Amino acid sequence: MTSSLSPAAPSPAGPSRRELNKAATRQAITDAALSLLRSRGPGSFTVEDIADAAGISRRTFFNYFSSTDAALASVTHGFLDNAIQQFRLRPAEEPILLSAQAALMALADPMTVAPLAELFTLTQQSALMAHSELEAWDHCREQITAVARERAAGTPGADDELYLRALAGSVISCGKAAMEVWFARRGADLSPASLAELRQLLIDAMALLGSGFTAVQPPSPSRSDSRSS
Amino acid sequence: MTSSLSPAAPSPAGPSRRELNKAATRQAITDAALSLLRSRGPGSFTVEDIADAAGISRRTFFNYFSSTDAALASVTHGFLDNAIQQFRLRPAEEPILLSAQAALMALADPMTVAPLAELFTLTQQSALMAHSELEAWDHCREQITAVARERAAGTPGADDELYLRALAGSVISCGKAAMEVWFARRGADLSPASLAELRQLLIDAMALLGSGFTAVQPPSPSRSDSRSS
DNA sequence: TCACACCCTTACACTATGTGCAAGTTTGCA
DNA sequence: TGCAAACTTGCACATAGTGTAAGGGTGTGA
């Protein structure tokens, strides 16, 4: 774990050696966990297996993650933290649903989605959505609530907790629903056509939410037209 | 655990002795768990403590629940199963949001809400929503999805998975949001006024969802008016 | 360059979780 | 009554998760 390169840190005052080491260890752990998930399937390897594969002690594993579940869920966490970051970048005046849609669009690229897609397929498409997986989504929900709350400080009508929480929760649920449907339809297919379908599903989901789920009865051709690429 | 009453089962062909015993044991476990939660606070008692308090062996505990968390979450599970039951009773033609609202109304009575309210307050108002707690809500989401799917078999427009999952997830999120806000405002207050507020919050939450969260800008007096009893 | 303080890793010990198994007990049924 | 199925229990064991103290790498100031 201790790469002894030239001791001088480069001039661009980046993260310190300690931070780099920690990040590398963290990455080594999740890589090892994913590798074991690929080779043995879910639930058939232990913390010690991961620690051995990552070249660290069992105790150190627990300094980074509280369980094998949590190590795997770091993939989801990374994805969703990314989403939050994109979400924060949106202008404060923009309607929240549009911000969410835009943030999600920014994530529908192969590099970002690939780890999550693989995780989903390897864990049997959310058959038994792991505990930590649910926690990751819930954590994201809280983040969105917080951002919405900040924005609402200026907006007169959107100031109550019910509105904020209900909206944030619904956004998360719809985003999750879109990804689940996509995984169910396409598996780990990351082709441009498949990613276009994912984007369309995310747009459709946000549209459903924005319309109060009333756009059902009329079979309007502009609704969920995701099947035709 | 073995109450030796008259061996003859009563004529009203109710549940068998075995089922009664199992139900009693299950209840004894959750009672013991709740009691320990009250007296010691969350995270400060073990499975063995619960088993001792319930008068069963540690091994038997695990025949009923997979963790202390799960034992406590049975409260939430009971509440939500009740909700699903009410939900199923609604006519199939009724819009899902109305069905959800009606089902939730039926649960806003003291006897039904009390256990959940106590659990919430004892676990610091969802500060660290336990793993199993999240699972309970997720399970309920799946149930609602299933019911909606059955209904959609007849309806032409609502047949796709995205619609079903997004809607069910949003309904759950909004219901959860309403309860969270209520707990935050009222704690374990079960007075008629408090329960009326809960009902209003649930109605408001479903209304928000039904309107696509657009009823924000105009400060219409009919919106979230829950503060005035 | 050295020395010191700090952070991180690790081994060890220990409690708690969760499960398989086999024996004992209760319940259902003929 | 007697048997079969279901339930409980004790035991053993692998794994999870945490406190602690010792050792090694890292930042910093003299």
Side-chain angles (χ1 to χ4, degrees):
Chain A
M1 288 318 304
T2 333
S3 58
S4 29
L5 298 171
S6 70
S11 41
S16 72
R17 184 65 146 275
R18 280 211 177 104
E19 287 164 6
L20 287 175
N21 283 345
K22 289 198 72 170
T25 301
R26 196 177 191 82
Q27 191 60 47
I29 293 175
T30 68
D31 287 350
L34 267 177
S35 171
L36 283 166
L37 184 63
R38 275 190 280 266
S39 59
R40 300 199 202 170
S44 49
F45 53 93
T46 71
V47 168
E48 192 156 15
D49 293 332
I50 300 176
D52 287 350
I56 57 168
S57 74
R58 199 179 75 97
R59 189 62 183 82
T60 297
F61 174 94
F62 284 113
N63 286 345
Y64 285 85
F65 298 103
S66 60
S67 63
T68 62
D69 248 23
L72 291 172
S74 74
V75 171
T76 309
H77 249 100
F79 179 85
L80 293 177
D81 281 354
N82 212 329
I84 294 293
Q85 209 173 329
Q86 294 291 332
F87 188 63
R88 284 188 195 279
L89 292 178
R90 306 300 305 176
E93 326 82 60
E94 187 177 49
I96 290 189
L97 287 182
L98 283 183
S99 295
Q101 186 174 308
L104 289 167
M105 285 308 101
L107 299 178
D109 77 285
M111 286 299 100
T112 314
V113 174
L116 197 56
E118 187 184 15
L119 186 67
F120 258 70
T121 56
L122 285 175
T123 55
Q124 352 263 34
Q125 303 174 69
S126 86
L128 286 175
M129 176 83 97
H131 292 179
S132 305
E133 202 77 5
L134 284 176
E135 276 191 337
W137 287 92
D138 199 59
H139 174 256
C140 183
R141 181 186 60 76
E142 285 167 12
Q143 297 292 305
I144 291 186
T145 311
V147 174
R149 193 177 290 124
E150 287 171 22
R151 287 192 184 186
T155 316
D159 62 326
D160 71 322
E161 277 295 309
L162 179 64
Y163 180 83
L164 295 173
R165 291 179 190 242
L167 177 53
S170 299
V171 167
I172 287 291
S173 291
C174 291
K176 195 156 68 159
M179 309 210 87
E180 283 172 356
V181 170
W182 180 64
F183 289 131
R185 280 192 198 157
R186 297 289 198 142
D189 178 4
L190 297 177
S191 67
S194 177
L195 287 171
E197 180 167 346
L198 171 58
R199 276 188 285 271
Q200 187 59 48
L201 281 167
L202 288 166
I203 291 173
D204 287 348
M206 293 301 140
L208 282 171
L209 187 52
S211 70
F213 291 92
T214 52
V216 194
Q217 313 301 358
S220 81
S222 68
R223 202 182 48 79
S224 182
D225 206 9
S226 335
R227 262 163 243 91
S228 58
S229 80
Chain B
M1 285 322 304
T2 335
S3 60
S4 29
L5 299 171
S6 69
S11 41
S16 73
R17 184 62 146 272
R18 279 209 176 109
E19 288 163 7
L20 286 176
N21 283 346
K22 288 198 71 169
T25 302
R26 197 178 190 82
Q27 190 61 46
I29 293 176
T30 68
D31 287 350
L34 265 177
S35 171
L36 283 166
L37 183 64
R38 274 188 281 266
S39 58
R40 299 198 202 172
S44 48
F45 53 94
T46 71
V47 168
E48 192 155 16
D49 294 331
I50 300 176
D52 288 350
I56 57 168
S57 72
R58 197 180 75 97
R59 189 62 183 83
T60 298
F61 174 93
F62 285 112
N63 287 343
Y64 286 85
F65 298 102
S66 59
S67 63
T68 61
D69 247 24
L72 291 172
S74 75
V75 171
T76 309
H77 248 102
F79 178 85
L80 294 177
D81 282 354
N82 211 328
I84 294 293
Q85 209 173 328
Q86 294 292 333
F87 188 63
R88 285 190 194 279
L89 293 178
R90 306 301 306 176
E93 327 81 60
E94 188 176 49
I96 289 189
L97 287 182
L98 284 183
S99 295
Q101 186 174 307
L104 289 166
M105 285 307 100
L107 298 179
D109 77 285
M111 286 299 100
T112 314
V113 174
L116 198 55
E118 188 184 14
L119 186 67
F120 257 70
T121 56
L122 286 175
T123 54
Q124 352 263 35
Q125 303 175 72
S126 85
L128 287 175
M129 176 82 98
H131 293 178
S132 305
E133 201 78 4
L134 284 177
E135 276 192 337
W137 287 93
D138 199 59
H139 173 255
C140 183
R141 182 186 61 77
E142 284 167 11
Q143 297 292 304
I144 291 186
T145 311
V147 175
R149 194 178 288 122
E150 287 170 21
R151 288 193 183 184
T155 314
D159 62 324
D160 70 320
E161 276 296 309
L162 179 64
Y163 180 83
L164 295 173
R165 291 180 189 240
L167 177 54
S170 298
V171 167
I172 287 290
S173 290
C174 290
K176 196 156 67 158
M179 311 212 86
E180 282 172 356
V181 170
W182 180 65
F183 289 132
R185 280 191 197 159
R186 296 289 199 142
D189 178 4
L190 298 176
S191 68
S194 177
L195 288 170
E197 181 166 345
L198 170 59
R199 275 188 286 271
Q200 188 59 49
L201 281 166
L202 289 165
I203 291 173
D204 288 348
M206 292 301 141
L208 282 172
L209 187 51
S211 70
F213 292 91
T214 52
V216 194
Q217 313 301 359
S220 81
S222 67
R223 201 180 49 80
S224 179
D225 208 7
S226 333
R227 262 164 242 92
S228 58
S229 79

